[in-house]
């Protein structure tokens, strides 16, 4: 699937009011912005619009305020941070839609930027309420969706609004869809998919799809334990997502009759509990005794996975290989992350924690594409249509 949506690059924006849906859902720490990766990722589209003399009205959700204004979920810190990054004042409307929001937007000069309050202060946002969509659309002449991280949700500010005014893809959304589609549609081979982390049932759809598409799927993190359980192996006190066990059994079955190699760990690092100071033990094998939990892949597994990444034409990595937040159990994730960074193939990393791991090892700049959208990137890779993309004008 080539990207087949109209781009903000081709929109006539000069002097016009443009509503930009960005994904500014960043972590807050004591009332200020923590990791600002998502705000930075939204800058190219905003700057493009500013440089072309649009009047720019940005909107986003933040957290889960539950459909009414909640002070702790105000976008105030985000507005201040965005002002700093842009080097220009970004006013914050005290509401999402309504008189004040409309009049602030109407007062914008070409090249000026403002932010609406948290879209999830409106109960209609997550219900994709047509009335809210119309009110959002009434603020602007055209709509640009750059919120890739929320594109898998059909909400008023991501999808509904696009029915009422001309709607274009933002630069980030365009690049996300382009790079992820390149992995799924026409990868250089071998395509090696590295899956880990904790949320097996969230990721099983991707395993299913990649059994058809990939040459190798290598599995680490807590993701391996439903597979071991499905194979009748002991998992001790390891984190086993029960719902994942039948899904893992099906994946193993499906892989057997496909051309895709499904690789599981051959050794593990064990701990007593999920704690930085826990007693640690290496296990040359994978049958975890009671009283222990598997918290990392072992060195033989890590070396094998790294070699596969090294030889790959395309690598997709989603999910850490272990509890990398605990120094004692970071080695497997580090080895794989370094291999991904050093790989000569096209490398794509997605998933909030995997991206955080890359950053922690100082490797962020060494992969070809770091996706800002966890759930959205998985749904796109699974081949599911994203409502926030489907709603845009055809190219
Ligand atoms: P991502 O955000 O990259 O998609 P997930 O959210 O699925 O990844 O999983 C990340 C979490 O998985 C991390 O907090 C990590 O500590 C945890 N994790 C990885 N391996 C294990 C394991 N063996 N046991 C328990 N937790 C694990
Ligand atoms: Mg995560």
């Amino acid at each position: 699937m080539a990207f087949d949506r109209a781009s903000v690059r081709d929109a006539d924006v000069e002097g016009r009011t443009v509503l930009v849906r960005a994904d500014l859902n960043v972590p807050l720490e004591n009332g200020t912005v923590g990791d600002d990766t998502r705000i930075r990722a939204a800058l190219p589209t905003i700057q493009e619009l500013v440089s072309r003399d649009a009047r720019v009205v940005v909107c986003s959700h933040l957290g889960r305020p539950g459909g009414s204004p909640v002070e702790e979920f105000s976008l105030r810190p985000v507005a201040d941070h965005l002002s700093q990054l842009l080097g220009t004042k970004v006013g914050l409307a005290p509401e999402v839609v309504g008189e004040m929001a409309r009049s602030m937007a109407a007062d914008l000069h070409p090249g000026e930027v403002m932010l609406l309050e948290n879209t999830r202060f409106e109960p209609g946002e997550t219900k994709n309420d047509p009335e809210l969509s119309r009110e959002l659309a009434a603020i602007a002449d055209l709509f640009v969706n750059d919120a890739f991280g929320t594109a898998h949700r059909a909400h008023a500010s991501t999808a509904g609004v696009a029915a009422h005014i001309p709607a274009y893809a933002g630069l980030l959304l365009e690049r996300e869809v382009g790079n992820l589609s390149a992995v799924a549609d026409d990868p250089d081979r071998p395509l090696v998919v590295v899956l880990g982390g904790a949320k097996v049932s969230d990721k099983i759809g991707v395993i299913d799809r990649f059994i058809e598409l990939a040459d190798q799927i290598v599995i680490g993190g807590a993701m391996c334990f439903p597979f071991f359980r499905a194979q009748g192996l002991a998992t001790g006190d390891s984190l086993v997502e029960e719902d994942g066990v039948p899904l893992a059994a099906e994946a193993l079955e499906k892989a057997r009759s496909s051309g895709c190699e499904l690789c599981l760990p051959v050794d593990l690092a064990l701990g007593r509990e999920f704690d930085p100071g826990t007693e640690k033990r290496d296990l040359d094998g994978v049958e975890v005794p009671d009283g222990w939990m598997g918290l990392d892949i072992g060195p033989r597994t890590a070396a094998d996975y790294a070699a596969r990444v090294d030889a790959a034409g395309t690598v997709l990595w989603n999910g850490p290989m272990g509890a990398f937040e605990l120094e004692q159990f970071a080695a497997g994730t580090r080895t794989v992350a370094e291999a991904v960074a050093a790989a000569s193939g096209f490398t794509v990393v997605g998933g909030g924690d995997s991206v955080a791991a890359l950053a922690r090892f100082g490797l962020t700049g060494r992969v070809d594409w770091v996706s800002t959208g966890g759930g959205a990137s998985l749904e796109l890779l699974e081949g599911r249509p994203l409502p926030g993309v489907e709603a845009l004008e055809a190219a």
Side-chain angles (χ1 to χ4, degrees):
M1 171 190 65
F3 191 68
D4 58 356
R5 301 291 153 170
S7 166
V8 63
R9 286 177 287 110
D10 305 318
D12 178 13
V13 300
E14 190 184 331
R16 304 176 80 192
T17 305
V18 181
L19 178 68
V20 179
R21 177 50 158 106
D23 180 3
L24 308 179
N25 182 31
V26 290
L28 296 181
E29 288 162 13
N30 304 318
T32 62
V33 170
D35 178 26
D36 69 351
T37 306
R38 283 184 165 166
I39 301 180
R40 288 179 186 276
L43 292 178
T45 293
I46 296 171
Q47 284 165 331
E48 160 98 9
L49 289 166
V50 165
S51 74
R52 286 162 57 194
D53 281 331
R55 306 167 202 260
V56 186
V57 181
V58 183
C59 68
S60 175
H61 76 288
L62 177 73
R64 296 169 182 264
S68 60
V70 179
E71 179 65 34
E72 71 176 288
F73 293 108
S74 169
L75 282 171
R76 167 53 61 200
V78 173
D80 294 343
H81 199 89
L82 186 58
S83 293
Q84 276 172 28
L85 293 178
L86 289 171
T88 162
K89 182 176 173 312
V90 176
L92 175 69
E95 56 188 6
V96 185
V97 289
E99 195 55 38
M100 291 286 289
R102 272 198 303 277
S103 80
M104 273 182 75
D107 289 344
L108 284 176
H109 294 119
E112 285 184 348
V113 181
M114 65 172 277
L115 185 61
L116 299 175
E117 239 325 344
N118 190 339
T119 53
R120 291 192 188 167
F121 284 1
E122 283 293 327
E125 164 70 338
T126 56
K127 300 187 188 100
N128 198 9
D129 174 41
E131 187 48 40
L132 177 60
S133 302
R134 265 192 294 276
E135 285 187 73
L136 280 166
I139 294 173
D141 302 311
L142 39 105
F143 173 64
V144 170
N145 189 9
D146 209 24
F148 179 72
T150 332
H152 56 318
R153 309 267 181 237
H155 292 170
S157 72
T158 62
V161 60
H164 305 287
I165 42 178
Y168 300 88
L171 302 176
L172 173 66
L173 182 128
E174 207 176 27
R175 291 187 72 194
E176 287 273 15
V177 176
N179 282 317
L180 293 165
S181 301
V183 170
D185 298 345
D186 189 22
D188 283 339
R189 302 221 171 242
L191 168 58
V192 176
V193 177
V194 182
L195 289 177
K199 292 177 280 182
V200 181
S201 45
D202 280 9
K203 298 184 184 182
I204 199 78
V206 153
I207 298 188
D208 239 44
R209 175 104 196 278
F210 279 112
I211 287 174
E212 289 158 17
L213 297 177
D215 301 289
Q216 299 163 27
I217 301 177
V218 309
I219 292 181
M223 172 85 80
C224 64
F225 297 113
F227 285 88
F228 289 146
R229 184 72 71 74
Q231 291 175 327
L233 300 171
T235 52
D237 296 344
S238 302
L239 179 65
V240 185
E241 194 189 309
E242 292 296 338
D243 293 351
V245 178
L247 300 171
E250 278 169 40
L252 285 165
E253 183 60 42
K254 198 170 164 187
R256 251 191 298 278
S257 55
S258 78
C260 175
E261 200 182 342
L262 188 65
C263 309
L264 290 165
V266 293
D267 58 350
L268 295 170
L270 311 182
R272 290 284 185 188
E273 55 187 345
F274 196 104
D275 183 274
T278 192
E279 184 186 350
K280 184 188 174 208
R281 183 180 143 188
D282 295 323
L283 177 69
D284 194 13
V286 295
E287 295 234 48
V288 183
D290 286 339
W292 293 91
M293 60 196 298
L295 287 172
D296 195 10
I297 56 174
R300 279 204 295 135
T301 306
D304 175 58
Y305 289 4
R308 291 171 186 273
V309 164
D310 183 57
T314 307
V315 180
L316 172 71
W317 176 32
N318 181 297
M321 296 291 97
F324 74 98
E325 302 94 328
L326 314 178
E327 192 48 50
Q328 294 202 89
F329 303 98
T333 304
R334 185 189 292 271
T335 300
V336 167
E338 283 171 351
V340 173
S344 56
F346 181 65
T347 52
V348 174
V349 180
D353 292 286
S354 315
V355 172
L358 262 191
R360 194 172 135 179
F361 304 139
L363 301 171
T364 308
R366 294 183 45 203
V367 299
D368 291 305
W369 185 246
V370 176
S371 179
T372 54
S377 65
L378 290 177
E379 292 198 15
L380 188 144
L381 291 167
E382 279 170 43
R384 286 158 56 175
L386 302 180
V389 175
E390 297 294 301
L392 303 174
E393 318 291 317

